[in-house]
Amino acid sequence: MDTPAEITPNRSTFQLTAVLLLIVAVVIALFAANSLYGGWYALFKTVHVTFAVIWIGGGFLLTLLGIIAERKNDPDEIAIVARQAAMVGEKLFAPAGLIVFLMGVAMMLNTNWGWGRFWIVAGLIGYALTFTTGIAVLAPLAKKIDASVEKNGATHPETMALVKRIMLIVRFDIAMLLLVIADMVTKPFS
C-alpha cells in the first residue's frame, strides 16, 4: 500500500502567499486613496470589513464543520474541529476581532456621526459580548476539549459533554455575530 509522502513546509508556497498578501495590501491602499469616502475612512472601513469577514466567516465555517461532524456522530472529527478551533480562535479570531473593533473606532473618529446612535451602541454591545465569549469561554473550552481528547479519547463521556457544551455556546455566538452584521449594514433606527 502506498503511503503519502511526508508533508514538509514549502518555503516557496509561503513566499508566494506573502507576496500575494503584499500585493493585496498595496491595491487596498490605492483603492482607499482614490475612494469616494476619502482616504483614511475608506482604508479603515476596508480593513474593518476584511477582518470581520475573516473572523465571522471563519467562525461560521468552524461551527458548520462542527455541526456536520455532530450530525455524522463522529467524535474523532468533532475533536479535530475543536482542536482547530482552539488554535485559530487564539491565533486568528481574537486578533481579527480586535482589529475589527479598532478600525470601527478609527472610522467613528473620522466621521461626525456621534456614538449615541442605536446601531453603533448595539454593534458595540454585540461585539463586546461575542469577543468576551470567545476569549473567556470558547477558547478555554476548546483547550479543555483538546486536553480531554488527549487524556481520555474523543468518545469519552467527559469529552462528549464538553463538545456538546461548546457547540451550544458557539451557535449563540455566531447568531450574535450575524445580528451585529445586520445591525452594521442596515444601521436601523438612525
Side-chain angles (χ1 to χ4, degrees), residues 108 113 117-124 183-184 187-190:
M108 288 301 296
W113 291 341
R117 294 177 186 238
F118 173 83
W119 66 272
I120 294 168
V121 174
L124 288 170
D183 175 65
M184 291 286 118
K187 296 174 180 36
F189 313 112
S190 292

Side-chain angles (χ1 to χ4, degrees), residues 20-30 43:
L20 289 173
L21 288 175
L22 181 64
I23 291 169
V24 168
V26 168
V27 170
I28 286 172
L30 288 171
L43 181 62

